[in-house]
Amino acid sequence: MTQQTSAASEQTGSASKTKRGGLEGVVAARTGLSKVDGEAGRLIYRGYTIHDLARTTTFEEIAYLLWFGHLPTKMELVDLKVRLLEERALPKVVLQVLSDLPATTEPMDALRTAVSAWGAATIKGKPTIDQAIALASHFPVFLAAFHRLRTGLEPLESHPELDYAANYLYLLNGQLPKEEHVQALNAYLVMLADHGMNASTFTARIVASTESDIASAVVAAIGALKGPLHGGAPSKVQDMLRAIGTQERAEGWMREALARGERLMGFGHRVYKTEDPRAEELREMARLADPQEFALARRVEELALALLEEQKPGRRLYTNVEFYSAVVLASVGLPGDLFTPTFAASRVVGWTAHILEQVANNRLIRPEADYTGPNETRFVAIDERV
Ligand code: COA
């Protein structure tokens, strides 16, 4: 079945799944990259469960797995690392564009602008694996350059001996990072690299399906990831934890937020109807990384789950990946407005793997809409309109 007929038959054939909109339950692509089993709370990358990968692999191994289809041998991993290293310079055109942005620019907007400038100067033709590697390798470089520029510092050159996670922290801070920070960030990057047909990945595939270029597809994906219903949640989790402040205030604060019709950030998921398996891993990482912050977060989580069950019965709202991401990313020293861009620095691997998968077996993604406007309105010339 092609993508379009599959989506169309789902739409007509399973009205109950789709009646709430948002393409819920619609199959929009075939992929060998990752599977999200929302009922069982399982996430697998090319057959491997996330629990096996989270704290035992490097982000480069996961990039290899997603791009090339299998976990790398030692030689294959060395080869990929060399290719990533070769693409870590900050191109002049991007430095110029980032330098011209106001210091108040949101880092996600700066990243989107940098990728667009890089694409304009660099990218020609159909998406390739070389372009995917170059693009992913540049993400931490662009982000750290913007962060340093906005704080009045010069961007740094990448450290030749540091891998993706460690080099990102080095580029931000100008110091060799602590090993525990590198491990925590690496595990975070591993867990966020791909996640089925999430909104930004779908966006990337749509753009790629028009035979547009890889930079355009990734720019669009960054735009989709930015929203708080998708990747924009972790800094809002941090805002929530800060506003709550103490364990004693947690229940009252959340009751008031729910009474105002607000959502509790870091809870609920379109696909997971049980706990997000990444939340389980991140909870343990947060417990080790920052015991004090963890104690508050854990209490807020327990109360939030009870309140959501009480006030939204039957909706099956559980902890999602963003809740403990906020604690883990803060513990490695990242400012809140770099949380979502750091998510992007992981997901770029998934986006580009999906783009390559899409172009390898492409058909234009072009769904239909239920038209709800009038059908036979009588035309009135402009001079006669009142
Ligand atoms: N807090 C309070 N209520 C929530 C909620 C949350 N975090 N998430 C969902 N709900 C409620 C909705 O208000 C709705 O209630 P209703 O039936 O009374 O109208 C019901 O649960 C279903 O919500 P819906 O918007 O249909 O779910 P969705 O599948 O479209 O949304 C999310 C999924 C992730 C967008 C949603 O759970 C959310 O906004 N979470 C908070 C933001 C977040 O953590 N984002 C990161 C996602 S990884």
Side-chain angles (χ1 to χ4, degrees):
M1 201 186 276
T2 66
Q3 287 156 359
Q4 281 185 356
T5 53
S6 168
S9 67
E10 283 272 356
Q11 276 187 338
T12 49
S14 96
S16 63
K17 275 187 175 173
T18 59
K19 68 177 187 288
R20 301 195 60 213
L23 298 182
E24 184 169 354
V26 173
V27 174
R30 307 185 75 130
T31 181
L33 290 164
S34 67
K35 176 177 171 175
V36 183
D37 182 340
E39 290 297 327
R42 282 190 84 219
L43 169 61
I44 58 176
Y45 292 170
R46 295 202 185 269
Y48 298 96
T49 161
I50 201 68
H51 296 302
D52 283 344
L53 302 174
R55 283 182 271 177
T56 55
T57 58
T58 61
F59 180 61
E60 285 83 351
E61 283 174 84
I62 296 306
Y64 193 100
L65 174 68
L66 292 172
W67 281 329
F68 295 99
H70 60 270
L71 281 171
T73 62
K74 281 187 184 156
M75 282 309 297
E76 287 167 335
L77 185 59
V78 168
D79 181 54
L80 177 63
K81 284 187 183 182
V82 169
R83 291 171 77 180
L84 286 164
L85 273 172
E86 285 167 0
E87 300 288 350
R88 294 203 311 200
L90 178 64
K92 262 197 198 138
V93 59
V94 177
L95 174 62
Q96 185 63 54
V97 166
L98 291 178
S99 306
D100 286 346
L101 290 175
T104 51
T105 305
E106 280 187 41
M108 273 301 265
D109 293 338
L111 177 65
R112 194 192 59 226
T113 305
V115 172
S116 189
W118 175 84
T122 315
I123 292 299
K124 299 262 176 311
K126 278 180 78 165
T128 65
I129 181 66
D130 288 341
Q131 293 173 356
I133 291 170
L135 192 43
S137 198
H138 278 108
F139 263 50
V141 177
F142 294 167
L143 283 170
F146 176 69
H147 180 64
R148 289 183 72 85
L149 287 166
R150 73 174 171 164
T151 48
L153 299 167
E154 284 297 309
L156 295 169
E157 301 256 328
S158 286
H159 193 297
E161 279 156 36
L162 296 181
D163 288 344
Y164 199 87
N167 188 51
Y168 180 37
L169 293 175
Y170 169 78
L171 286 175
L172 286 168
N173 304 318
Q175 290 162 357
L176 286 178
K178 289 185 187 161
E179 189 47 37
E180 64 261 31
H181 289 177
V182 176
Q183 279 177 15
L185 181 61
N186 178 75
Y188 170 84
L189 295 172
V190 164
M191 280 187 274
L192 274 289
D194 199 38
H195 204 239
M197 203 43 41
N198 61 88
S200 56
T201 298
F202 185 41
T203 305
R205 287 190 80 127
I206 292 170
V207 177
S209 85
T210 70
E211 296 189 359
S212 185
D213 64 281
I214 198 167
S216 299
V218 169
V219 165
I222 294 170
L225 185 70
K226 186 182 156 189
L229 299 190
H230 187 8
S235 59
K236 301 208 179 306
V237 172
Q238 192 184 48
D239 295 344
M240 180 174 82
L241 292 174
R242 286 198 176 140
I244 290 173
T246 64
Q247 296 191 29
E248 294 68 42
R249 284 167 43 92
E251 182 172 349
W253 192 96
M254 287 191 284
R255 278 195 186 280
E256 281 173 26
L258 288 171
R260 289 192 298 270
E262 290 172 14
R263 292 182 175 211
L264 301 180
M265 287 293 143
F267 298 92
H269 198 274
R270 173 60 63 78
V271 184
Y272 291 119
K273 298 307 168 197
T274 181
E275 181 168 283
D276 183 329
R278 299 165 301 174
E280 192 184 326
E281 294 288 341
L282 285 158
R283 184 184 294 110
E284 285 317 300
M285 288 164 57
R287 189 195 303 275
L288 297 172
D290 187 342
Q292 201 180 339
E293 191 66 12
F294 176 79
L296 174 65
R298 182 70 180 126
R299 184 71 190 133
V300 167
E301 181 192 26
E302 285 166 353
L303 287 166
L305 294 174
L307 285 173
L308 290 169
E309 183 57 35
E310 174 194 299
Q311 302 202 10
K312 298 278 175 182
R315 279 24 162 249
R316 300 205 282 168
L317 302 170
Y318 297 95
T319 315
N320 66 42
V321 67
E322 309 289 19
F323 189 72
Y324 284 105
S325 289
V327 180
V328 170
L329 293 178
S331 79
V332 305
L334 292 179
D337 66 358
L338 284 185
F339 292 176
T340 304
T342 303
F343 180 169
S346 165
R347 187 56 59 83
V348 62
V349 164
W351 290 333
T352 50
H354 275 274
I355 291 165
L356 295 171
E357 192 180 54
Q358 179 70 35
V359 300
N361 189 15
N362 190 42
R363 184 153 192 249
L364 176 71
I365 299 174
R366 200 296 188 196
E368 295 186 24
D370 260 342
Y371 173 65
T372 59
N375 274 316
E376 297 193 28
T377 312
R378 194 178 68 82
F379 175 76
V380 180
I382 192 160
D383 293 342
E384 294 162 35
R385 277 177 226 158
V386 284

